[in-house]
Amino acid sequence: MNKPTKPIDILIIGEGTYPYIQGGVSTWIHQLIEGNPEINFGLIFIGGQKTQYKKQMYDFPLNIVYFEEVFIFEEEKLPKSKSIKQDRSVINQIDEIHNLFRMIHSSKDKLNFLSNLIGKFKLKDFLYSDTSWEYTKNTYFDKYENESFIDYLWTIRNIHIPIWNLFDVINRLPEIKLVHSPSTGYAGFLAGLIKISKNIPYILTEHGIYTKERKIDLMTSDWFTTRTPFVNYSDTKGNLVRDIWNNFFAGLGLFSYFTADKILSLYRKASEVQISYGAPPEKTDVIPNGVDIKKLTPLIEKRKAHHQRICLIGRVVPIKDIKTFLKAMRIVVNKLPDAEGWIVGPTNEDEAYFEECQNLTKTLGLTENVKFMGFQNILDIFDKISVNTLTSISEGMPLTILEGFAAGIPAVTTDVGSCKDLIFGSIDEEDIKIGQAGFICKVADANCLAQAYISLLTDEALWKKQQQSAIKRVSKYYTYEKLISNYKKIYYKALNWQE
Amino acid sequence: MAGIGFELKKILKKESLTSLFIAYSYATILSAGGWVASILSILTVGFINILLYDNSSDIIRFQVSVTHLIALSLIVSGIHQLVFTRFIADKIYIKEEKAIIPNLIGITILNTAISFAFIIIYSLFALKGIDSFYFNIFFIMTFLLLSNIWILNIIAVSIKKYKHTIVAYFISYLLVLIFASVFGKYGLDYLIGSFFVSNIFLFLTLLFLVIKSYFFSKFISFEFTKYYKKYFSLVLAGFFFNLGIWSDEFMFWYSSTGNGIIGKINASIVYDLPLFLAYLTIIPGLAIFFIRLEADFAELYDKYFKGVVNGATLYKLLNYKNNMIDLIRIATKEAIIIQGIFNIIFYLTAPKIINFLNLPLLIVPLFYIDMVAIQLQLIVMINLAFLFYLNKRREAAIVTFIMATLNIILPFISINLGPYFYGYGSAVAMLIASIAGLLFLNKSMMRLEYETFMLQ
């Protein structure tokens, strides 16, 4: 265990994000830490396996005084298998724990009860003991008797194994004053456990609702697939596995909601979803993302002409639905043969999907018009394009849209996450009055997207009007300064500090 | 022995008496293995020779020395038998067949070295005062041959050369009979020489069978020795099993009941013959069981594991398991019933048989108790076969250990209690070992799915 270099004020727990993975959440964490230089941050990274995370993508700001990593799916760390006999009374205790989580109503002594059980009932007991076997068998017969048993067992194992690692972390944790988690899941669960055991405030910010995307990430970790090559997650057979994961994560989510003192989201719709999932409404609040306007504003001047270019900034993965963008581009090129579509983002995350996209580009005869640019610095991109687009099937609050706004680029997106709010305005009356900063289409509606692209590329007056709306909206509601000051308020209040 | 089940089923499908007979001969020879065949043949040699030449003293010397050779070579090579079978099976499973021949050469060298060291020390003690140079040489060479034949036999069967193996055995023991009948009149050296030459034929045939089956690039490899550490329980089980089968014999040979037949090689006239006769009665039960195990149980076991991997419901898996348990019950019951029927026949006809063989009627009671002991030994063998199938190596090793130690201690006690108690020692030893085996088997089956899922 690392020793903190200074006393820790706030502990941030990230699951599969900062500092190893680039993306919205990581940027947001980095912004928060940099924007509060007077606060000492501790950081816990939760990952699947060490090997999945090669190098840090961010340089730590000086006020990160403590960094700890937990890998929850390390096979080497599993105890050696051997037959274990156990006292039958443990079964009742396991039952009690499950009920405790089901009743989602927890208090300190119950957590102690849980720590006691975890102390008595070690990971090797969970994995190999006869009581654990009895328990698993009984629950299987209760709920899933017509499903594949091996899939059930491995799913149960996989979702439980991390719990012991997480408890380990609590026992080794230095003193902290506040815990902040950017998601529910294991990170939010750990934060909740820390909150109860140390009796400190817990702030939860959800960037998206802990979507299927994240669960599939965990499930397809190497560890998982090598241990169970016969588990496949296709729709035909993955139902049982998916159900269990969903229930489990819903449970973790509820635990987070009930332990957190504040439940934040990026936009109103997300807040509503949180409440529908069981978050107490009085705890919820919205703090949108913010972008660095100063960095991006010069690009407005730098743009020399109305380029015939549409740009999609995002990873080349199925959730971004690049294929719909390609189909839309085909329609655009029919009308504007010189139009170009740029896809800016890493292509190595899902090689198979990338290959499919390249083949589709060839099939549609778009090799002249569509370019996969890989990862680029956005400052080199925004002055060369006229439309910023996202065709995703799921989003939270995409930073690239806001960054595009700051650089004076209207956006055309699918109606997911907060995209509609960003393009039409939603924060208050005034925000709506600012007007449209682009267009919204239904998911996978290539035709609608194409028409929007065409109108923005051909109608320069419309484009100018929407550009102004975009610049106004982002400067008023979505600045980095605003984000930092919002969080400063929350932090200081929770810590009882005077600003 | 995976694969033999399929072969047997194929033969049995024809549903004729001949096919049934063929299947059971297969099963007999493959399960009872070389020792029954060889004992059968030396008894026959004796029978024919005595008829032809009436050279009973030489024949007895021949039979006794060959019996010792078989017993000792089985015990010495027992160390390797199970481990090496496992090694070959694994290599076939991971499709690394090219490793088979080099390792076969390797184990032949290692086994020959160990056997040679043993037989030299043994000969210094046992062959004292035998001046026939030929006998000494044949004795030592035959030991080395037999020791390697037992291992080769296992490999030949492992790689599914059933028919050829059986034919090889049949021809070579026919040769023993022919040579011994022709040259028997020239005395002991020629008898053991005949046995030696016939076993050379068997050894070379088996070797040829194996070598021509596989491609190999390396000539020699000792990779298999890794398995001795990894599967030490199999080393012990192989050794103790063979020791346990023969240990009561040795107790009698080297006690007050035994006497020197040739050099220090002893026999126990009272004990040996009834036991060998009883041994031959084990054949039907063994054959029946073998078909059950290799044809039916193998299939159920396969079903169970395929079910596990392919995502069957637990209810279905427990069903498969119960089918396995039923089959173990059926197989055990069948072996007992079939064996029982034969026992009754032998029980009723024993005096007549023993009369026919010109043996003293004194041994009839001993023959009876030996039959009980052998029947219990059959159950031990059945338990062991299932335990190996379920990969319960440690448990199998414990059962063989119980069998071996008790089959030393209890016969020793029964010898001291007097002739009335002969045979009871071995019977009680086998009874205890079979109960231990059944208990282990029961526990293994009870815990099968727990161990499958939780401790894989």
Side-chain angles (χ1 to χ4, degrees):
Chain A
M1 193 78 183
N2 311 323
K3 278 250 179 313
T5 50
K6 287 182 190 152
I8 303 167
D9 299 318
I10 295 173
L11 180 74
I12 292 184
I13 303 173
E15 187 179 321
T17 55
Y18 190 75
Y20 291 109
I21 307 289
Q22 282 176 314
V25 179
S26 296
T27 308
W28 176 89
I29 293 176
H30 194 73
Q31 283 178 334
L32 265 189
I33 295 172
E34 270 193 322
N36 292 295
E38 77 285 8
I39 297 176
N40 290 330
F41 283 92
L43 184 65
I44 289 182
F45 171 82
I46 299 178
Q49 292 167 293
K50 208 178 172 75
T51 49
Q52 293 170 299
Y53 310 99
K54 294 278 185 292
K55 65 183 231 291
Q56 292 197 10
M57 298 290 183
Y58 297 83
D59 292 328
F60 280 157
L62 289 173
N63 56 331
I64 292 187
V65 296
Y66 169 82
F67 176 50
E68 177 67 38
E69 299 165 309
V70 192
F71 298 103
I72 50 180
F73 288 133
E74 289 282 44
E75 198 187 342
E76 306 73 73
K77 278 203 174 155
L78 288 184
K80 247 180 103 81
S81 80
K82 66 173 213 290
S83 168
I84 298 171
K85 266 204 163 27
Q86 253 202 332
D87 187 3
R88 294 276 136 173
S89 68
V90 174
I91 288 205
N92 299 334
Q93 292 176 310
I94 301 171
D95 250 329
E96 239 172 288
I97 293 283
H98 282 110
N99 289 334
L100 186 152
F101 275 102
R102 275 190 205 108
M103 294 190 316
I104 45 160
H105 190 77
S106 61
S107 66
K108 197 168 156 63
D109 58 314
K110 287 215 172 121
L111 185 82
N112 286 343
F113 170 63
L114 177 59
S115 333
N116 281 342
L117 182 70
I118 295 266
K120 252 196 311 201
F121 190 75
K122 302 219 171 334
L123 177 57
K124 64 176 198 308
D125 299 324
F126 164 70
L127 289 172
Y128 312 124
S129 75
D130 52 350
T131 39
S132 172
W133 166 248
E134 283 299 314
Y135 194 90
T136 313
K137 211 164 60 173
N138 294 340
T139 44
Y140 166 84
F141 278 130
D142 277 351
K143 291 191 219 152
Y144 297 100
E145 62 173 356
N146 296 326
E147 302 282 355
S148 154
F149 182 70
I150 193 141
D151 290 358
Y152 172 79
L153 179 84
W154 275 105
T155 311
I156 293 295
R157 281 190 159 202
N158 287 330
I159 60 181
H160 282 77
I161 286 168
I163 292 173
W164 278 266
N165 290 329
L166 297 181
F167 263 82
D168 244 15
V169 174
I170 299 179
N171 297 333
R172 299 176 313 187
L173 210 56
E175 275 305 298
I176 53 177
K177 301 197 181 86
L178 181 151
V179 62
H180 188 176
S181 168
S183 68
T184 56
Y186 289 113
F189 176 67
L190 177 59
L193 294 176
I194 292 173
K195 182 235 152 62
I196 297 172
S197 66
K198 302 211 176 247
N199 206 6
I200 52 166
Y202 164 21
I203 294 163
L204 169 68
T205 305
E206 275 191 285
H207 283 251
I209 304 302
Y210 204 91
T211 53
K212 243 186 276 186
E213 182 194 9
R214 302 267 310 110
K215 280 177 248 171
I216 299 290
D217 277 351
L218 279 172
M219 289 202 297
T220 53
S221 74
D222 281 350
W223 181 84
F224 201 92
T225 43
T226 49
R227 291 292 294 217
T228 53
F230 33 78
V231 176
N232 71 49
Y233 295 100
S234 66
D235 285 347
T236 49
K237 219 186 126 181
N239 293 342
L240 153 95
V241 178
R242 244 210 329 270
D243 281 358
I244 297 174
W245 279 89
N246 285 342
N247 287 340
F248 179 73
F249 281 109
L252 289 187
L254 282 174
F255 183 79
S256 296
Y257 288 157
F258 279 81
T259 47
D261 298 284
K262 258 205 143 353
I263 302 168
L264 303 168
S265 56
L266 303 180
Y267 52 100
R268 219 187 30 206
K269 220 188 299 175
S271 232
E272 285 159 14
V273 175
Q274 286 176 329
I275 292 165
S276 75
Y277 271 56
E282 68 280 4
K283 290 185 184 176
T284 57
D285 206 344
V286 175
I287 298 182
N289 273 335
V291 290
D292 193 346
I293 302 280
K294 286 191 288 295
K295 195 173 70 177
L296 292 153
T297 307
L299 293 172
I300 302 173
E301 297 302 312
K302 220 175 140 188
R303 181 177 301 99
K304 292 288 174 271
H306 193 54
H307 304 284
Q308 297 280 296
R309 278 192 205 111
I310 305 142
C311 178
L312 188 154
I313 300 170
R315 297 163 296 140
V316 181
V317 292
I319 203 160
K320 296 285 178 189
D321 197 6
I322 306 291
K323 288 178 183 173
T324 292
F325 176 59
L326 296 173
K327 288 174 199 154
M329 277 311 295
R330 181 64 258 172
I331 301 168
V332 173
V333 172
N334 287 346
K335 200 160 168 123
L336 309 166
D338 293 335
E340 282 183 29
W342 285 5
I343 295 151
V344 173
T347 54
N348 55 358
E349 200 165 315
D350 188 337
E351 303 274 2
Y353 186 75
F354 176 46
E355 198 174 324
E356 285 167 27
C357 290
Q358 284 177 301
N359 291 338
L360 185 61
T361 309
K362 281 197 201 93
T363 313
L364 293 170
L366 289 169
T367 39
E368 294 300 309
N369 305 79
V370 170
K371 293 193 182 116
F372 290 90
M373 325 263 290
F375 182 80
Q376 300 279 341
N377 185 341
I378 49 165
L379 296 175
D380 304 333
I381 298 289
F382 282 135
D383 59 325
K384 300 181 185 65
I385 63 169
S386 299
V387 180
N388 190 15
T389 188
L390 278 178
T391 54
S392 315
I393 47 180
S394 165
E395 282 289 349
M397 174 172 272
L399 275 174
T400 58
I401 298 300
L402 291 171
E403 285 164 336
F405 283 0
I409 316 280
V412 176
T413 71
T414 42
D415 185 6
V416 287
S418 64
C419 292
K420 198 171 181 173
D421 294 358
L422 299 180
I423 288 169
F424 286 87
S426 69
I427 307 250
D428 47 30
E429 279 305 309
E430 222 171 314
D431 187 18
I432 297 166
K433 273 203 193 105
I434 288 173
Q436 265 177 265
F439 294 99
I440 288 283
C441 291
K442 285 209 288 290
V443 169
D445 189 346
N447 200 27
C448 167
L449 291 162
Q451 295 318 320
Y453 298 154
I454 291 166
S455 56
L456 280 169
L457 292 183
T458 51
D459 183 347
E460 211 163 332
L462 171 76
W463 186 87
K464 277 237 156 53
K465 192 168 155 253
Q466 298 206 338
Q467 178 190 43
Q468 290 314 308
S469 307
I471 295 169
K472 250 191 219 147
R473 181 164 296 132
V474 74
S475 327
K476 190 163 163 50
Y477 297 101
Y478 300 103
T479 63
Y480 171 70
E481 290 74 14
K482 201 165 171 107
L483 167 78
I484 298 299
S485 79
N486 276 335
Y487 271 102
K488 230 188 246 303
K489 274 192 206 112
I490 288 183
Y491 283 159
Y492 278 52
K493 199 173 156 205
L495 293 165
N496 291 322
W497 289 1
Q498 297 301 319
E499 244 187 286
Chain B
M1 284 233 208
I4 180 68
F6 181 71
E7 198 79 11
L8 289 171
K9 280 210 151 131
K10 220 165 52 186
I11 301 169
L12 286 172
K13 263 211 180 81
K14 293 178 192 151
E15 288 188 355
S16 68
L17 265 180
T18 342
S19 66
L20 205 65
F21 177 77
I22 291 173
Y24 280 98
S25 337
Y26 255 56
T28 306
I29 296 174
L30 293 175
S31 59
W35 51 271
V36 170
S38 43
I39 283 174
L40 200 57
S41 74
I42 52 176
L43 286 177
T44 327
V45 166
F47 199 65
I48 292 173
N49 263 279
I50 290 169
L51 278 181
L52 288 175
Y53 312 118
D54 195 22
N55 52 352
S56 57
S57 70
D58 268 353
I59 282 299
I60 287 171
R61 284 200 195 111
F62 164 73
Q63 285 178 335
V64 169
S65 46
V66 169
T67 305
H68 277 250
L69 282 173
I70 289 169
L72 292 169
S73 63
L74 277 167
I75 294 168
V76 171
S77 66
I79 302 167
H80 315 287
Q81 284 171 14
L82 295 170
V83 187
F84 199 71
T85 309
R86 174 79 196 216
F87 176 80
I88 295 291
D90 284 358
K91 283 292 173 206
I92 291 173
Y93 183 74
I94 60 167
K95 302 224 174 338
E96 244 187 64
E97 282 107 337
K98 67 173 191 302
I100 293 178
I101 308 297
N103 280 286
L104 168 62
I105 308 289
I107 195 154
T108 306
I109 289 169
L110 178 71
N111 184 39
T112 306
I114 295 173
S115 303
F116 188 73
F118 172 85
I119 197 68
I120 291 298
I121 294 165
Y122 175 84
S123 302
L124 287 176
F125 147 84
L127 302 185
K128 239 194 223 145
I130 302 175
D131 9 357
S132 164
F133 168 78
Y134 286 111
F135 179 84
N136 281 316
I137 288 294
F138 282 140
F139 188 86
I140 289 169
M141 298 294 279
T142 308
F143 181 82
L144 299 182
L145 260 185
L146 285 172
S147 193
N148 285 312
I149 282 172
W150 305 136
I151 289 174
L152 259 177
N153 175 42
I154 285 173
I155 300 166
V157 172
S158 295
I159 65 171
K160 304 186 184 146
K161 297 276 168 206
Y162 314 114
K163 242 190 219 143
H164 298 96
T165 307
I166 289 166
V167 170
Y169 265 99
F170 186 78
I171 293 176
S172 68
Y173 283 116
L174 200 64
L175 284 178
V176 176
L177 286 186
I178 294 167
F179 286 145
S181 311
V182 175
F183 300 108
K185 55 176 179 279
Y186 301 115
L188 177 64
D189 292 356
Y190 281 85
L191 282 169
I192 195 161
S194 308
F195 189 72
F196 170 72
V197 170
S198 312
N199 273 298
I200 284 193
F201 169 83
L202 178 60
F203 176 79
L204 291 177
T205 316
L206 290 178
L207 192 66
F208 173 75
L209 272 182
V210 177
I211 286 189
K212 84 170 178 58
S213 309
Y214 289 109
F215 165 82
F216 56 103
S217 47
K218 256 166 80 176
F219 180 66
I220 189 164
S221 161
F222 286 96
E223 193 194 341
F224 67 91
T225 50
K226 279 192 215 139
Y227 271 53
Y228 287 64
K229 203 174 153 188
K230 196 170 161 191
Y231 296 115
F232 189 65
S233 49
L234 289 180
V235 177
L236 295 178
F239 174 74
F240 284 125
F241 175 73
N242 286 301
L243 183 67
I245 285 192
W246 291 97
S247 52
D248 58 319
E249 296 273 53
F250 281 96
M251 294 310 295
F252 275 89
W253 290 337
Y254 293 99
S255 71
S256 52
T257 69
N259 40 14
I261 300 293
I262 174 165
K264 284 261 186 313
I265 301 175
N266 282 12
S268 168
I269 305 290
V270 263
Y271 194 74
D272 291 355
L273 274 169
L275 185 65
F276 284 156
L277 287 177
Y279 252 134
L280 299 179
T281 67
I282 204 176
I283 292 175
L286 206 50
I288 298 259
F289 164 71
F290 184 81
I291 287 194
R292 276 278 177 219
L293 175 79
E294 294 298 344
D296 303 350
F297 188 76
E299 192 180 331
L300 291 176
Y301 186 77
D302 201 47
K303 244 193 188 147
Y304 171 81
F305 268 98
K306 282 210 170 94
V308 168
V309 172
N310 296 334
T313 63
L314 189 55
Y315 180 75
K316 208 171 191 164
L317 292 173
L318 291 176
N319 241 346
Y320 289 148
K321 181 181 101 155
N322 289 332
N323 292 346
M324 278 198 266
I325 293 175
D326 287 347
L327 195 90
I328 293 179
R329 286 206 185 107
I330 291 170
T332 312
K333 221 189 309 190
E334 255 179 9
I336 292 173
I337 291 172
I338 300 285
Q339 198 58 37
I341 292 170
F342 277 90
N343 279 1
I344 291 167
I345 295 169
F346 286 124
Y347 183 85
L348 296 172
T349 55
K352 286 203 177 65
I353 295 172
I354 287 169
N355 231 341
F356 173 76
L357 294 171
N358 276 330
L359 298 170
L361 281 175
L362 272 176
I363 66 169
V364 172
L366 186 53
F367 176 67
Y368 290 157
I369 184 67
D370 275 342
M371 283 200 314
V372 175
I374 290 296
Q375 176 152 24
L376 290 164
Q377 185 180 313
L378 175 66
I379 295 177
V380 175
M381 287 160 95
I382 288 174
N383 290 335
L384 285 173
F386 281 128
L387 285 173
F388 283 131
Y389 229 104
L390 298 167
N391 208 6
K392 290 280 159 204
R393 303 185 300 268
R394 205 175 53 97
E395 286 79 356
I398 294 171
V399 172
T400 56
F401 177 77
I402 291 172
M403 165 177 152
T405 43
L406 291 182
N407 211 14
I408 293 170
I409 297 166
L410 298 177
F412 177 78
I413 294 172
S414 74
I415 289 167
N416 287 322
L417 288 174
Y420 185 74
F421 291 92
Y422 291 176
Y424 282 90
S426 185
V428 174
M430 292 301 165
L431 176 68
I432 294 170
S434 64
I435 290 171
L438 282 172
L439 289 175
F440 277 132
L441 197 52
N442 181 43
K443 190 178 157 197
S444 303
M445 286 314 286
M446 287 298 115
R447 287 164 52 98
L448 179 69
E449 69 277 11
Y450 161 66
E451 292 185 0
T452 307
F453 285 105
M454 299 293 271
L455 309 177
Q456 43 186 263

